[in-house]
Amino acid sequence: MAAVILVTNDDGVHAAGLDALAGALDELGEVYVVAPDREQSAVGHSLTLHRPLRVTQVGERRFAVNGTPSDCVNLAVLGLLPGRPVLVAAGINHGSNLGDDVTYSGTVSAAMEGTLLGVPSMAVSQADAGTAGFEGAALVARLVASRLLVEGLPAKTLLNVNIPGGTAGGIRMTRLGHRVYRDKVVQEVDPRGQPYYWIGAGPPEWAEDEASDIAAVQRGLASVTPLHLDLTHYGALGRMGDWEGSLNALLKKWPR
Ligand code: MN
């Protein structure tokens, strides 16, 4: 049996970027598409645990799920696919997922879910997806996936790939950039006189960092950032060793 590759996204099963990614990886294995039945952008890593998930076959090796990107990966890897996939690829997202934004991204979360399930995983996103086609992004995705399938990835590590609008002038290995929040929340009043708020209204601002993913994409390069899912800060854990003694001393003094 050919190696199974799972392709998913957060823009929904009918998104053009999903087709582009499935097509790009077609030569590398038997591609199965399991994707949300509607757009699920910015849902983060949420899982649906309190209602049943329904799967609808919408084509050959192609399934729609009434859930989140992480639901799709979990469901596919742990049940739906005929074998364990050699790769989980999420995207091509319509819009970049750079820097701190990866924590909100449904696309990156799908790749995180694959990683947590022990499958080498990558997220692929394209800036300015409305104007440019996906051909350039698909080529970068195929090149990165080919290398990933040969080399593997360290434990708990995934790749976050971003492609600028149009054709990438090159590919750069990067680290995550950092978003700076300067804008305040927008507060307006609705037609019934009630206040409402709008977050994320202004254009994103980024800290200056030439080694970052955002800098690469701004220079017209594709970025490949390895992300690590062990979120423990071992340095802090070492430095904060004395917290344990003092917190326990306080806890003992508390009447129970
Ligand atoms: Mn999206």
mmCIF file with all atom_site columns, all heavy atoms in Angstrom, residues 10-11 41 93 107, ligand 1:
data_model
loop_
_atom_site.group_PDB
_atom_site.id
_atom_site.type_symbol
_atom_site.label_atom_id
_atom_site.label_alt_id
_atom_site.label_comp_id
_atom_site.label_asym_id
_atom_site.label_entity_id
_atom_site.label_seq_id
_atom_site.pdbx_PDB_ins_code
_atom_site.Cartn_x
_atom_site.Cartn_y
_atom_site.Cartn_z
_atom_site.occupancy
_atom_site.B_iso_or_equiv
_atom_site.pdbx_formal_charge
_atom_site.auth_seq_id
_atom_site.auth_comp_id
_atom_site.auth_asym_id
_atom_site.auth_atom_id
_atom_site.pdbx_PDB_model_num
ATOM   1  N  N   . ASP A 1 10  ? -8.037  24.824 7.528  1.00 0.00 ? 10  ASP A N   1
ATOM   2  C  CA  . ASP A 1 10  ? -9.046  25.460 8.378  1.00 0.00 ? 10  ASP A CA  1
ATOM   3  C  C   . ASP A 1 10  ? -9.976  26.374 7.577  1.00 0.00 ? 10  ASP A C   1
ATOM   4  O  O   . ASP A 1 10  ? -10.833 27.024 8.136  1.00 0.00 ? 10  ASP A O   1
ATOM   5  C  CB  . ASP A 1 10  ? -8.412  26.205 9.561  1.00 0.00 ? 10  ASP A CB  1
ATOM   6  C  CG  . ASP A 1 10  ? -7.788  27.540 9.174  1.00 0.00 ? 10  ASP A CG  1
ATOM   7  O  OD1 . ASP A 1 10  ? -7.750  27.879 7.978  1.00 0.00 ? 10  ASP A OD1 1
ATOM   8  O  OD2 . ASP A 1 10  ? -7.339  28.254 10.088 1.00 0.00 ? 10  ASP A OD2 1
ATOM   9  N  N   . ASP A 1 11  ? -9.780  26.406 6.258  1.00 0.00 ? 11  ASP A N   1
ATOM   10 C  CA  . ASP A 1 11  ? -10.631 27.240 5.406  1.00 0.00 ? 11  ASP A CA  1
ATOM   11 C  C   . ASP A 1 11  ? -11.826 26.466 4.855  1.00 0.00 ? 11  ASP A C   1
ATOM   12 O  O   . ASP A 1 11  ? -12.669 27.043 4.164  1.00 0.00 ? 11  ASP A O   1
ATOM   13 C  CB  . ASP A 1 11  ? -9.815  27.804 4.239  1.00 0.00 ? 11  ASP A CB  1
ATOM   14 C  CG  . ASP A 1 11  ? -8.722  28.750 4.723  1.00 0.00 ? 11  ASP A CG  1
ATOM   15 O  OD1 . ASP A 1 11  ? -8.985  29.503 5.670  1.00 0.00 ? 11  ASP A OD1 1
ATOM   16 O  OD2 . ASP A 1 11  ? -7.615  28.712 4.160  1.00 0.00 ? 11  ASP A OD2 1
ATOM   17 N  N   . SER A 1 41  ? -11.261 29.248 10.424 1.00 0.00 ? 41  SER A N   1
ATOM   18 C  CA  . SER A 1 41  ? -10.034 30.004 10.673 1.00 0.00 ? 41  SER A CA  1
ATOM   19 C  C   . SER A 1 41  ? -10.023 30.557 12.095 1.00 0.00 ? 41  SER A C   1
ATOM   20 O  O   . SER A 1 41  ? -11.073 30.908 12.636 1.00 0.00 ? 41  SER A O   1
ATOM   21 C  CB  . SER A 1 41  ? -9.907  31.156 9.666  1.00 0.00 ? 41  SER A CB  1
ATOM   22 O  OG  . SER A 1 41  ? -9.684  30.646 8.375  1.00 0.00 ? 41  SER A OG  1
ATOM   23 N  N   . ASN A 1 93  ? -3.201  27.615 3.697  1.00 0.00 ? 93  ASN A N   1
ATOM   24 C  CA  . ASN A 1 93  ? -4.110  28.601 4.274  1.00 0.00 ? 93  ASN A CA  1
ATOM   25 C  C   . ASN A 1 93  ? -4.168  29.864 3.416  1.00 0.00 ? 93  ASN A C   1
ATOM   26 O  O   . ASN A 1 93  ? -3.158  30.316 2.886  1.00 0.00 ? 93  ASN A O   1
ATOM   27 C  CB  . ASN A 1 93  ? -3.661  28.976 5.682  1.00 0.00 ? 93  ASN A CB  1
ATOM   28 C  CG  . ASN A 1 93  ? -4.705  29.821 6.385  1.00 0.00 ? 93  ASN A CG  1
ATOM   29 O  OD1 . ASN A 1 93  ? -5.837  29.377 6.558  1.00 0.00 ? 93  ASN A OD1 1
ATOM   30 N  ND2 . ASN A 1 93  ? -4.366  31.043 6.745  1.00 0.00 ? 93  ASN A ND2 1
ATOM   31 N  N   . THR A 1 107 ? -4.917  26.353 11.121 1.00 0.00 ? 107 THR A N   1
ATOM   32 C  CA  . THR A 1 107 ? -4.007  25.637 10.206 1.00 0.00 ? 107 THR A CA  1
ATOM   33 C  C   . THR A 1 107 ? -2.818  25.059 10.976 1.00 0.00 ? 107 THR A C   1
ATOM   34 O  O   . THR A 1 107 ? -2.501  23.869 10.858 1.00 0.00 ? 107 THR A O   1
ATOM   35 C  CB  . THR A 1 107 ? -3.473  26.602 9.123  1.00 0.00 ? 107 THR A CB  1
ATOM   36 O  OG1 . THR A 1 107 ? -4.585  27.263 8.517  1.00 0.00 ? 107 THR A OG1 1
ATOM   37 C  CG2 . THR A 1 107 ? -2.671  25.875 8.073  1.00 0.00 ? 107 THR A CG2 1
HETATM 38 MN MN  . MN  B 2 .   ? -7.725  29.917 7.385  1.00 0.00 ? 1   MN  B MN  1
#
